[in-house]
Amino acid sequence: MQDAPADRVSYRTCPLCEATCGLEITVRAGRVAKVRGDREDVFSRGYLCPKGAALGELHHDPDRLRSPRIRDGEGFREASWEEAFERVEAGLAPLLGAGNRDALGIYLGNPNVHNLAGGLYVRPLLKALGSRNLFTASTVDQMPKELISGLLFGNPGALPVPDVDRCDFLLMLGANPWESNGSLWTAPDLPGRLRALRERGGRLVVIDPRRTRTAQHADEHHPIRPGTDALWLLALAQVLLEEGRAAPGRLAAFTAGLEATPALLAPYTPEAVAPRCGIDANTTRRLARELAAAGAAAVYGRIGVHAQRFGTLAAWATELLNLLTGNLDRAGGVMFPRAAHARLRAEAPGGRGFRTGRWRSRVRGLPEVRSEFPVATLADEIETPGEGQLRALLTVGGNPVLSTPNGARLDRALGSLEFMVSVDLYLNETTRHAHVILPPPSPLERSHYDLTFYRAAVRHVANYSEAIFPAAGPSEAEILARLALIAAGKGAGADPAAVDDEVLGGFIESEVANPHSPIAGRDPAPIRALLEGETPCDQIVDFLLRTGPYGEGFGVDTEGLSLAALRARPHGVDLGPLGSRLPGLLETRSGKIELLPEAVTRDLERLRAELDAPAPANDLILIGRRDLRSNNSWMHNLPSLMSGRERCTLRMHPQDAGRLELSDGTRVRIRSRVAELEVSLELTDAIAPGVVSLPHGYGHDFAGAQLAVARSHCGVSANHLTEGEMDEPSGNAVLNGVPVTVQAA
Ligand SMILES: Nc1nc2c(c(=O)[nH]1)N[C@H]1C(S)=C(S)[C@@H](COP(=O)(O)OP(=O)(O)OC[C@H]3O[C@@H](n4cnc5c(=O)[nH]c(N)nc54)[C@H](O)[C@@H]3O)O[C@H]1N2
Ligand SMILES: Nc1nc2c(c(=O)[nH]1)N[C@H]1C(S)=C(S)[C@@H](COP(=O)(O)OP(=O)(O)OC[C@H]3O[C@@H](n4cnc5c(=O)[nH]c(N)nc54)[C@H](O)[C@@H]3O)O[C@H]1N2
Ligand code: SF4
Ligand SMILES: [Mo]
């Protein structure tokens, strides 16, 4: 008789959303048998959500691609990696040879910030491509917040996060962490942390057109008219200034523009904005006073306030309030994390500053922000003939057909490309247009350290996860490296180690030249020889940890962090609470917080015009929503996440339904300026009258996609209705606040 195969238990940071939960994964006979929250994880303490629990299902999903696909007529055939890379080289050759690099665009999707390859190998790929046509999911997401950090603090990556565990008063707008698990705010079990905030006597106030699960767990909820958050936040600030309640404290000494702010905000009184926002002036005044009076308070806004018409001003007003109340960079307020892999620097204010508009998009003349163009203009660049027209596209971990505005138009545009390559796990709505699909390993076939989200974490933590299964094909880093070599003209057969050398060598070179680094002035070669890790990505993690703020510094501090130190602690390392970073963190030219950058003062004029103009007479306004068991567009193929009743419904208040003579459960037709869809109606009083909500990421009925489960829960794509309107300064798409009409189907 044979012994039953032994269970193998591994601990792992979940890479699916921003919460970085620790998982305990049991493998039996080569399959994931069980996924639980890791109760010993230093950060998540056993918390997990249904998506993390479905990682095994994702790994074993029969529709997930394990080998390359090459277009063959209308369909695809399986191909070897060699053939696939050769096909990429042949497809790109005519474009690259012609010396017109901008004809080849790239779209980077959200999963790039959830894996090491995206964090480390996208940069050399972009460099090799040399195209200005870079588009990412950031412009359907958080670009306004990054822009404001760039302008105010001189670094678009310096993102203040609510110090939730020490906060007494949290004002939250346009975010629903009960479903999303938090965003640009890494804190596993945010529901638990927010409960704890209230249990210790703190208050949670939620501003959202919907009475979300987060709102149900708040002390107060105020439904706001979509798209008007900037006006309302400015009214709070106006009250603080008018009533002499502004108390920036130590921040005043290194903030430029405070004196000019009261005059700029004078028009935005609670009374003036009330008819627009739908929040009465007394409530606004009271909340402003409570915010000022609270001990440690934080104002936090996320996608509901960023992906809207005045996203940048909403992001600005958020930081303005944190500053005026003295809560910026204060324990319990909003703070700047310092990740274990961060680079050491002078911690003295002043730097090169941050600029946008260094170049402009060809068709609409839109400014670059962080070297990107708004993805809402991607179809323009493909469809508009002329010199510089986009003729080929590379997508890496993105599904813009479902995720970006006017998806039906983009879908047609992608169909017209001369050549398209996708690095993706699935043959889906977007990648069906590719000529070659290159599938990376599954999340369980790669090691992980969270380069992106530890920079937004509410505690300083570090955790490294080993791959659980060996990868069948090349790592994603190798795929990106080989694409970089093809783009650089070195050919499909070139050795990807050249790119590893470039990436790792680049990090080491810059650190030995960094006077604040523990290895300043040392010889790179012996440093490199000391690195641990089986893959180049792991070696880079080792290097970054060792030279980071808690690192062992290649012999400086034997207790310090390294890959080996993290490997010895599979439940992670807690490095303590966040600490004060200002003014040392500031990288503006002046070395001060630049409170009134020109992009803000100019956009205030646009907002002012809006305030003065008559209110638009919209029938209904469309906003989005997320569900705990979704992950943008791409996890709808996992049965455990799709069970239960239909989720892709249009939610509407019964009052609107009565007026339109519509009843619950019926099919309705919803129309925006660009499209019309048929969808089931769900009536609920948990949404403000005049507002309707549809989740994004559905609409899985495209011919040729290989997503059997998703297709049977198809739904419709909210982004067929979004139009491509943008927040002007950031280029972020307006996904919340789209005028629509609804009638019986
Ligand atoms: N379960 C799940 N989790 C996710 C994701 C997912 O798809 N599913 N996606 C991940 C990603 S990529 C991100 S960026 C984050 C996003 O994380 P969150 O920002 O928390 O995202 P949402 O849950 O969409 O919450 C946005 C809220 O804004 C509200 N809203 C809409 N318009 C307005 C408005 O004009 N004003 C105000 N005040 N509120 C408005 C909506 O009703 C909604 O409740 O979630 C991440 N986590
Ligand atoms: N209307 C509306 N639209 C929205 C939003 C909204 O709130 N409302 N939210 C926006 C937000 S916040 C975001 S972040 C975007 C997301 O926009 P995208 O990033 O374009 O879309 P996703 O649905 O996240 O698609 C991810 C793709 O990556 C693939 N993938 C998954 N893991 C990996 C991996 O490890 N490597 C590679 N190479 N590929 C992988 C998946 O198969 C899928 O094709 O959507 C945005 N769109
Ligand atoms: S909350 Fe996010 S990180 Fe945690 S288990 Fe769910 S998907 Fe994974
Ligand atoms: Mo996102």
Side-chain angles (χ1 to χ4, degrees):
M1 223 174 86
Q2 267 193 323
D3 284 344
D7 285 359
R8 178 160 61 95
V9 176
S10 309
Y11 299 95
R12 180 168 190 86
T13 306
C14 177
L16 294 172
C17 87
E18 305 180 29
T20 70
C21 300
L23 307 178
E24 182 189 278
I25 299 184
T26 306
V27 175
R28 188 174 304 147
R31 291 187 67 86
V32 174
K34 194 163 59 176
V35 180
R36 297 198 318 180
D38 173 8
R39 273 173 292 201
E40 288 176 63
D41 184 276
V42 297
F43 202 16
S44 61
R45 304 264 171 223
Y47 181 80
L48 100 162
C49 86
K51 288 189 296 295
L55 260 176
E57 239 175 286
L58 172 64
H59 180 74
H60 299 296
D61 183 358
D63 279 338
R64 183 173 63 78
L65 302 181
R66 272 90 168 160
S67 59
R69 294 292 184 277
I70 291 185
R71 173 178 299 281
D72 190 3
E74 285 300 291
F76 286 89
R77 66 178 167 80
E78 227 178 306
S80 71
W81 285 94
E82 266 42 60
E83 189 192 0
F85 283 115
E86 276 160 21
R87 181 72 187 87
V88 173
E89 186 182 12
L92 294 182
L95 292 152
L96 297 171
N100 177 12
R101 298 244 151 206
D102 292 339
L104 171 55
I106 181 164
Y107 174 79
L108 302 171
N110 171 273
N112 285 289
V113 293
H114 293 276
N115 75 63
L116 284 168
L120 300 172
Y121 279 73
V122 158
R123 196 183 293 230
L125 175 59
L126 294 179
K127 198 174 137 207
L129 286 169
S131 167
R132 286 190 165 173
N133 278 312
L134 166 64
F135 305 85
T136 84
S138 292
T139 52
V140 277
D141 193 343
Q142 80 289 354
M143 197 55 109
K145 184 161 168 106
E146 295 182 357
L147 174 62
I148 286 304
S149 281
L151 296 171
L152 267 59
F153 313 129
N155 177 357
L159 304 175
V161 301
D163 184 16
V164 60
D165 297 340
R166 295 181 285 185
C167 182
D168 300 322
F169 186 101
L170 182 56
L171 174 60
M172 187 185 309
L173 305 94
N176 185 13
W178 246 265
E179 310 277 1
S180 73
N181 292 302
S183 183
L184 299 185
W185 187 22
T186 289
D189 191 16
L190 261 171
R193 289 171 199 266
L194 292 169
R195 265 191 216 104
L197 178 151
R198 295 185 63 204
E199 276 160 17
R200 63 177 183 264
R203 282 166 58 72
L204 173 63
V205 177
V206 171
I207 309 294
D208 195 306
R210 299 188 301 121
R211 192 171 67 247
T212 59
R213 282 174 70 202
T214 307
Q216 284 164 27
H217 289 86
D219 295 279
E220 284 183 41
H221 164 234
H222 301 285
I224 191 169
R225 189 101 183 120
T228 65
D229 298 81
L231 287 171
W232 187 72
L233 289 164
L234 291 182
L236 292 179
Q238 192 275 336
V239 172
L240 297 181
L241 292 166
E242 184 195 71
E243 298 186 354
R245 294 175 198 270
R250 65 184 271 274
L251 303 167
F254 48 84
T255 302
L258 270 173
E259 321 70 45
T261 306
L264 273 176
L265 297 198
Y268 304 96
T269 61
E271 291 72 18
V273 305
R276 281 309 167 92
C277 306
I279 299 180
D280 74 85
N282 289 335
T283 303
T284 307
R285 274 184 199 283
R286 174 177 58 77
L287 286 172
R289 290 169 190 158
E290 286 179 16
L291 180 66
V299 184
Y300 165 80
R302 252 320 261 134
I303 195 160
V305 304
H306 295 146
Q308 57 157 269
R309 289 187 58 221
F310 289 96
T312 295
L313 286 182
W316 177 69
T318 302
E319 263 24 292
L320 173 68
L321 284 167
N322 286 322
L323 192 145
L324 290 178
T325 51
N327 282 304
L328 180 66
D329 197 43
R330 168 153 102 190
V334 295
M335 303 198 85
F336 298 93
R338 185 154 131 126
H341 61 282
R343 303 299 73 206
L344 295 176
R345 52 187 294 279
E347 299 294 318
R352 286 195 307 191
F354 176 76
R355 282 174 57 205
T356 66
R358 292 164 299 169
W359 52 86
R360 288 184 173 263
S361 69
R362 179 181 64 103
V363 179
R364 289 169 68 179
L366 300 166
E368 62 73 35
V369 178
R370 298 204 79 182
S371 306
E372 299 180 19
F373 292 135
V375 69
T377 196
L378 174 56
D380 299 323
E381 295 294 331
I382 299 173
E383 286 178 345
T384 313
E387 209 189 326
Q389 181 178 6
L390 252 188
R391 289 154 56 203
L393 187 71
L394 168 61
T395 71
V396 183
N399 192 4
V401 167
L402 296 191
S403 299
T404 71
N406 203 344
R409 177 184 171 202
L410 183 64
D411 180 60
R412 284 191 301 274
L414 295 184
S416 74
L417 287 167
E418 285 169 31
F419 193 60
M420 178 167 152
V421 181
S422 292
V423 182
D424 206 287
L425 298 175
Y426 285 101
L427 200 184
N428 64 17
E429 297 77 11
T430 295
T431 63
R432 75 194 184 106
H433 291 294
H435 296 80
V436 184
I437 308 176
L438 304 168
S442 96
L444 298 184
E445 293 168 336
R446 61 187 191 220
S447 61
H448 187 63
Y449 168 89
D450 215 305
L451 287 173
T452 306
F453 296 106
Y454 288 149
R455 294 187 311 177
V458 299
R459 284 189 75 83
H460 293 136
V461 288
N463 205 334
Y464 168 83
S465 322
E466 314 275 0
I468 291 182
F469 298 106
S475 69
E476 185 150 10
E478 182 179 337
I479 295 170
L480 300 182
R482 293 185 68 172
L483 291 174
L485 290 165
I486 292 170
K490 307 238 166 79
D495 184 357
V499 181
D500 302 334
D501 286 344
E502 181 192 327
V503 178
L504 182 51
F507 278 113
I508 301 177
E509 296 287 341
S510 85
E511 276 303 283
V512 295
N514 171 7
H516 308 284
S517 172
I519 58 165
R522 284 177 64 176
D523 182 5
I527 296 279
R528 186 162 173 178
L530 289 170
L531 292 176
E532 282 201 32
E534 283 72 52
T535 65
C537 283
D538 289 346
Q539 290 169 12
I540 297 170
V541 169
D542 187 39
F543 178 75
L544 294 176
L545 289 169
R546 288 165 87 168
T547 50
Y550 317 90
E552 63 84 58
F554 290 90
V556 174
D557 170 11
T558 49
E559 302 284 284
L561 288 187
S562 62
L563 186 65
L566 291 191
R567 277 184 157 152
R569 282 118 115 185
H571 310 289
V573 178
D574 182 283
L575 301 155
L578 306 188
S580 171
R581 303 285 311 275
L582 291 179
L585 169 120
L586 298 172
E587 292 182 58
T588 49
R589 281 168 177 272
S590 61
K592 295 192 161 189
I593 298 172
E594 287 293 344
L595 194 53
L596 295 179
E598 200 211 322
V600 166
T601 50
R602 202 177 336 115
D603 214 35
L604 279 169
E605 287 167 26
R606 189 171 65 106
L607 186 66
R608 179 69 201 271
E610 172 112 345
L611 181 64
D612 294 342
N618 293 313
D619 184 0
L620 291 164
I621 303 274
L622 176 69
I623 63 170
R625 69 175 186 266
R626 281 175 165 73
D627 175 278
L628 186 60
R629 290 189 296 157
S630 74
N631 199 14
N632 296 321
S633 76
W634 72 276
M635 289 179 71
H636 292 154
N637 211 48
L638 308 182
S640 74
L641 299 181
M642 298 312 287
S643 58
R645 64 197 185 97
E646 183 186 7
R647 296 205 303 262
C648 186
T649 58
L650 185 73
R651 291 199 184 149
M652 181 186 271
H653 193 280
Q655 204 174 298
D656 289 318
R659 178 172 58 87
L660 298 167
E661 297 178 354
L662 300 170
S663 51
D664 189 45
T666 52
R667 301 288 288 172
V668 294
R669 200 164 294 161
I670 174 168
R671 184 180 302 156
S672 74
R673 274 187 290 255
V674 296
E676 185 180 283
L677 297 172
E678 213 184 287
V679 62
S680 302
L681 188 68
E682 182 184 348
L683 299 186
T684 169
D685 66 359
I687 188 165
V691 183
V692 287
S693 148
L694 189 64
H696 73 285
Y698 287 88
H700 302 290
D701 54 349
F702 287 79
Q706 182 185 318
L707 295 162
V709 177
R711 184 178 292 275
S712 65
H713 300 268
C714 157
V716 294
S717 178
N719 282 317
H720 278 23
L721 298 169
T722 53
E723 303 170 348
E725 201 194 348
M726 294 170 210
D727 165 56
E728 276 179 24
S730 69
N732 204 94
V734 176
L735 307 173
N736 295 298
V738 177
V740 291
T741 57
V742 177
Q743 56 182 205

